[in-house]
Amino acid sequence: MTATVLDRLIDDFLYFLRVEKGLSPATLEAYSRDLQRHGAFLRQQGLTGLQSVDPALLVTFFAALRHEGLGVRSRVRLLAALRGFYRFAVDQRQLTENPLLLLDSPRLLQTLPGCLSPAEVDRLLQVRGQDCLLDQRDQTMLELLYASGLRVSELVGLSCSDYQATTGMVRVMGKGSRQRLVPVGEPAQDCLRHYLAQVRPQLLGDADSPALFLSRRGRGLTRQGFWLMIKRRARQAGLTQTITPHTLRHSFATHLLENGADLRVVQMLLGHADITTTQIYTHVSREHLQRVHERFHPRP
């Protein structure tokens, strides 16, 4: 396989991701950069085809990325891109065997997301502010975020029509314009009912906005506004670790798995297109299982 054919295969894969998978332009651009970087590495090794790629070479590639100072998150994303690319190459009969199937993800890639314990989540949710209306709005958003595992962009992008009170579900527009329905627990539903009936009408005033969560001026809340709020509440709750909206998303997924949820179900709730993205949480779950075993087994 010449470099030209390799480039064509990359282009075909990106087209597949755009048309079949509906990935966003930003994600496609990131995948394109990652795959071009991998292609350049193969050419530097004197390879003219994927047939010569083996697990050892892939380990060398990721070691080189680390040596170059590429961040862990970027390496995780690159690994996800390569997993999809090599599966695609096998499907297109450009490879007979996927070399990544023979390679466990390097330990350096398995960074565990920041996660709160259930007790710490309770402390965060119990914080109360001084402004009654905004405090109740913030409380509703935090309850919903922990109950559903939404991304912050998905949370602030909700409209009133996205909450289905009769079914207790939230309709979410996720990455790549993929819609999903996420169930919401009773505490979050109680907050939403009160917010919609008593709080939002006062925040809206004479304004006209379809956004579910509003600022003091009756406009849709921004991601930056929510970030500032959650950091302020974390300080008030006495939580010393760095807390972001994604922390609650990670906590949502981790707590579900630690209580026996199926990984495929968590994948659907999080809106992950590929289960390999969700599998990072199984490392947290395995640590939890090991602690339980050591604590309760008669011969640990």
Side-chain angles (χ1 to χ4, degrees):
M1 179 187 293
T2 66
T4 301
V5 177
L6 175 60
D7 291 339
R8 190 181 304 123
L9 184 61
I10 291 174
D11 289 341
D12 290 344
F13 177 58
L14 294 172
Y15 178 82
F16 167 77
L17 293 179
R18 177 169 62 85
V19 175
E20 300 292 336
K21 297 296 185 180
L23 297 190
S24 68
T27 302
L28 288 171
E29 182 179 355
Y31 271 43
S32 177
R33 288 196 304 270
D34 292 339
L35 294 172
Q36 294 297 339
R37 189 170 198 161
H38 185 56
F41 171 81
L42 296 182
R43 288 188 285 272
Q44 289 171 2
Q45 302 302 308
L47 300 184
T48 59
L50 294 181
Q51 293 292 347
S52 300
V53 176
D54 59 17
L57 184 62
L58 291 170
V59 170
T60 301
F61 173 60
F62 278 97
L65 295 177
R66 184 186 182 189
H67 180 72
E68 292 168 8
L70 191 67
V72 173
R73 288 184 182 276
S74 296
R75 296 199 302 273
V76 169
R77 186 197 63 219
L78 203 153
L79 177 59
L82 289 187
R83 287 191 189 282
F85 177 66
Y86 278 103
R87 280 198 304 269
F88 181 81
V90 172
D91 291 341
Q92 297 298 307
R93 299 185 179 181
Q94 299 294 336
L95 275 177
T96 57
E97 187 176 57
N98 185 344
L100 277 171
L101 293 180
L102 305 176
L103 177 67
D104 290 331
S105 298
R107 188 172 295 273
L108 61 90
L109 294 182
Q110 302 304 325
T111 54
L112 301 181
C115 178
L116 299 176
S117 69
E120 289 172 328
V121 172
D122 287 340
R123 285 167 57 188
L124 183 64
L125 295 177
Q126 289 170 6
V127 170
R128 294 295 181 268
Q130 297 179 349
D131 188 304
C132 185
L133 288 179
L134 297 184
D135 176 64
Q136 292 176 73
R137 179 207 63 192
D138 296 346
Q139 184 73 19
T140 303
M141 295 183 77
L142 289 173
E143 286 280 3
L144 179 57
L145 191 63
Y146 179 59
S148 60
L150 300 185
R151 302 176 178 93
V152 62
S153 57
E154 295 170 345
L155 181 70
V156 300
L158 291 173
S159 63
C160 290
S161 61
D162 289 327
Y163 173 55
Q164 303 174 2
T166 55
T167 61
M169 306 279 270
V170 173
R171 183 179 60 228
V172 183
M173 180 66 74
K175 290 186 175 180
S177 299
R178 292 187 299 270
Q179 284 193 10
R180 68 185 190 276
L181 287 174
V182 180
V184 178
E186 282 298 329
Q189 287 192 59
D190 290 342
C191 285
L192 278 166
R193 282 191 288 265
H194 176 74
Y195 170 79
L196 286 169
Q198 304 295 330
V199 179
R200 188 180 182 278
Q202 296 185 64
L203 292 175
L204 183 63
D206 296 330
D208 182 18
S209 173
L212 177 57
F213 296 111
L214 302 174
S215 68
R216 192 190 300 273
R217 298 182 179 181
R219 301 171 183 170
L221 196 66
T222 65
R223 294 174 56 182
Q224 292 79 6
F226 186 76
W227 271 69
L228 291 174
M229 179 273 289
I230 198 171
K231 287 181 178 295
R232 182 181 67 250
R233 284 205 166 206
R235 288 195 300 270
Q236 293 172 336
L239 301 175
T240 57
Q241 65 265 55
T242 300
I243 307 295
T244 70
H246 240 58
T247 305
L248 281 181
R249 177 171 162 88
H250 295 324
S251 302
F252 163 83
T254 301
H255 297 166
L256 283 177
L257 286 169
E258 288 185 348
N259 284 284
D262 182 82
L263 188 65
R264 288 285 182 184
V265 173
V266 176
Q267 176 195 3
M268 294 175 63
L269 292 174
L270 291 175
H272 286 160
D274 193 326
I275 198 168
T276 57
T277 309
T278 318
Q279 283 175 337
I280 190 170
Y281 294 104
T282 63
H283 295 269
V284 183
S285 186
R286 283 200 291 269
E287 286 188 358
H288 171 75
L289 291 175
Q290 184 176 4
R291 289 196 300 270
V292 171
H293 182 274
E294 291 174 351
R295 179 178 178 184
F296 294 107
H297 194 276
R299 295 177 67 84

